[in-house]
Amino acid sequence: MERRKAVRKHIQLTEMQISRLRQLSDFDGIDPAEHAKRAIDTYLKSQQPAPPPDHDKIQAQVSGSTDDPNISGAFWVSGIVNQYEFSGLILRHTSKTAMERGRISKLSIWDPAVREATNNFIGSCIVNYDRGWDIRPSLSAEPIFLKVKSLIESYIAR
């Protein structure tokens, strides 16, 4: 079983929030950090993570491909998978730097709505491979990544 890295987020409290934590602490004698921890734990327990999409229900299609002018025999493939878009650079031959030493040299899957809202490509990516992993697929993004990867591999096989 693969171990996933725990991610810690740092939260910056406002002066008013700090003041309210101190007031609450003075009232009940519990450390302000303990109050903050309890509030965060309560919030996280109330969140319902979205279930990963069923692999069979993921809709994916290649919308086009264009030759890469800089690499002989390589081409770019793009498409749509559910609400995401993807783009990948496919090499003519297998490569050490390609995904799993295959032919997919670059692959990005992103949310176009997030990209539009933030004007940040990397910030909108759920997966990004550029001759190495920049953003690995999370548990919820993994079914989408696997669907795109199998779609591209079947497209290459044609």
Side-chain angles (χ1 to χ4, degrees):
M1 180 158 85
E2 181 182 330
R3 285 188 57 186
R4 298 268 180 189
K5 179 181 173 186
V7 178
R8 293 183 182 235
K9 302 243 179 198
H10 296 279
I11 300 170
Q12 185 74 31
L13 298 177
T14 65
E15 289 298 323
M16 184 173 175
Q17 290 170 324
I18 292 170
S19 171
R20 298 288 293 194
L21 279 173
R22 286 188 183 132
Q23 288 173 358
L24 186 58
S25 254
D26 290 344
F27 177 74
D28 64 9
I30 297 176
D31 184 39
E34 183 62 28
H35 279 295
K37 181 182 176 295
R38 287 180 185 176
I40 292 168
D41 287 343
T42 302
Y43 171 77
L44 291 175
K45 285 178 186 173
S46 72
Q47 297 299 304
Q48 297 296 325
D54 185 7
H55 188 72
D56 295 332
K57 294 182 181 177
I58 298 172
Q59 299 296 316
Q61 66 182 28
V62 173
S63 60
S65 71
T66 57
D67 291 335
D68 188 304
N70 300 320
I71 305 171
S72 176
F75 63 95
W76 286 93
V77 64
S78 59
I80 299 171
V81 56
N82 286 3
Q83 78 268 25
Y84 302 103
E85 294 180 9
F86 68 88
S87 177
L89 177 63
I90 313 305
L91 303 175
R92 180 174 23 173
H93 302 290
T94 59
S95 170
K96 290 180 183 179
T97 59
M99 191 179 298
E100 297 173 354
R101 296 182 178 256
R103 293 178 53 195
I104 303 173
S105 177
K106 298 181 182 187
L107 177 64
S108 297
I109 305 172
W110 66 91
D111 186 335
V114 173
R115 184 176 184 188
E116 175 91 19
T118 63
N119 199 24
N120 182 349
F121 176 73
I122 291 296
S124 67
C125 285
I126 61 169
V127 173
N128 194 50
Y129 184 92
D130 187 352
R131 290 168 269 153
W133 285 109
D134 298 318
I135 302 171
R136 288 183 179 274
S138 65
L139 287 175
S140 59
E142 193 165 17
I144 292 169
F145 162 70
L146 293 174
K147 185 70 168 195
V148 169
K149 186 176 166 223
S150 68
L151 177 69
I152 291 173
E153 288 171 346
S154 66
Y155 187 83
I156 293 170
R158 289 189 221 164

